[in-house]
Amino acid sequence: MSLIEVKAVSKIYRVSDEVETVALDQVTFSVEKGEFLAIVGPSGSGKSTLMHILGALDVPTSGSYRLDDQEVGDLDEDTLAEIRNQKIGFVFQAYNLLPRTSALKNVMMPMIYGGIKVKEREKRAKQLLSQVGLADKLNHWPNMLSGGQQQRVAIARALAMTPAIILADEPTGNISGQQVTEIMDRLNQLNQAGHTLLIITHDQEVAGYAKRTLTLKDSRLVADNVNGRQR
Ligand SMILES: Nc1ncnc2c1ncn2[C@@H]1O[C@H](COP(=O)(O)OP(=O)(O)O)[C@@H](O)[C@H]1O
Ligand SMILES: [Mg+2]
């Protein structure tokens, strides 16, 4: 059994009675614990849709998605929310931090839902923020931080519940240069510590960190390469 098993997954968005968009078309792959994958492909090829399904934020229209041997499409909303909280850490391109809320409180947030006591929440959030080099920015609101710093807060928040899987949708989309290297080094360390990592990216440098690359095109999985070789 693999950690992630995606079989013939399709996602069709019904925009109106006449208009349907096939965002994913019969996608099949599996991911073992501890892998580091890049998901690449042109804009509109279905990358974010796939990420939402993998993250249990959405369910396939058809096909099967098994996470830890559980069929995600069969789970009720409460169980899905619990899986998102316990097993999955999300990092989004737009950071999705709460505005007018300190870095510390942003990182503590998932632990509230995770039922962690307040003292422990604060302790862990401080540790996580120091690990991403933000020990001196605990009380800063997002708008007082640079893009790279906000992204590091988002990474710290994604790690709050020590998730087995980290899903990042263009985590370097709004930053550049040295900041990209910092974010990628941090994500790489997390992978080496045992977290399974899936990163959507447009950036060749970023994709270069991953050992395996899935390529989507026109809603289909058209390549699955490990170290440059087709699997
Ligand atoms: N909520 C939605 N409703 C309708 N169509 C959508 C929705 N989300 C995505 N799509 C469509 O699905 C296709 C794939 O989108 P997306 O997964 O966002 O691609 P990517 O992340 O690769 O740019 C696109 O044609 C997009 O317009
Ligand atoms: Mg996208």
Side-chain angles (χ1 to χ4, degrees):
M1 168 197 100
S2 304
L3 177 64
I4 287 172
E5 287 182 354
V6 173
K7 276 199 195 125
V9 159
S10 296
K11 180 72 186 180
I12 298 164
Y13 290 110
R14 177 163 282 251
V15 182
S16 68
D17 281 349
E18 294 93 54
V19 183
E20 282 185 346
T21 302
V22 179
L24 287 176
D25 188 6
Q26 301 274 332
V27 170
T28 299
F29 64 95
S30 56
V31 178
E32 305 303 323
K33 186 177 178 310
E35 280 200 81
F36 182 170
L37 275 84
I39 299 173
V40 303
S43 180
S45 57
K47 304 182 298 295
S48 294
T49 300
L50 177 60
M51 188 68 93
H52 288 146
I53 290 173
L54 293 176
L57 289 164
D58 205 349
V59 291
T61 308
S62 63
S64 159
Y65 169 36
R66 299 184 78 83
L67 172 62
D68 260 346
D69 216 20
Q70 272 184 313
E71 183 66 46
V72 174
D74 290 348
L75 304 174
D76 60 37
E77 198 40 59
D78 285 352
T79 313
L80 289 176
E82 194 180 311
I83 285 180
R84 288 194 293 269
N85 185 259
Q86 303 287 332
K87 295 193 181 174
I88 296 160
F90 287 101
V91 182
F92 297 98
Q93 172 176 5
Y95 321 130
N96 288 13
L97 299 173
L98 295 174
R100 307 172 73 84
T101 304
S102 70
L104 189 68
K105 290 231 162 87
N106 264 286
V107 176
M108 286 167 68
M109 198 62 68
M111 294 188 263
I112 299 179
Y113 302 112
I116 312 281
K117 297 228 159 59
V118 64
K119 277 266 182 327
E120 176 66 19
R121 289 206 292 267
E122 194 169 322
K123 187 175 144 212
R124 252 203 243 177
K126 280 181 181 163
Q127 263 171 5
L128 287 163
L129 283 164
S130 338
Q131 284 168 11
V132 294
L134 296 175
D136 57 341
K137 309 276 189 228
L138 302 180
N139 297 313
H140 283 54
W141 290 353
N143 67 333
M144 304 167 185
L145 299 169
S146 73
Q149 288 168 340
Q150 289 180 60
Q151 193 56 295
R152 282 185 276 155
V153 175
I155 290 175
R157 181 188 53 186
L159 294 174
M161 295 298 294
T162 50
I165 304 171
I166 299 167
L167 301 175
D169 194 347
E170 312 229 16
T172 61
N174 289 322
I175 53 179
S176 60
Q178 180 58 26
Q179 293 190 336
V180 173
T181 311
E182 278 174 27
I183 296 294
M184 289 315 299
D185 285 345
R186 182 69 195 130
L187 289 171
N188 204 29
Q189 280 169 11
L190 292 168
N191 175 242
Q192 270 154 19
H195 295 273
T196 304
L197 189 56
L198 285 88
I199 296 188
I200 292 180
T201 188
H202 272 109
D203 185 330
Q204 284 297 328
E205 181 197 338
V206 171
Y209 280 82
K211 292 167 202 83
R212 179 174 168 200
T213 304
L214 302 182
T215 307
L216 291 178
K217 191 165 180 266
D218 299 333
S219 317
R220 290 168 182 265
L221 181 64
V222 295
D224 183 351
N225 293 297
V226 176
N227 295 324
R229 285 218 176 82
Q230 179 73 20
R231 269 161 65 100

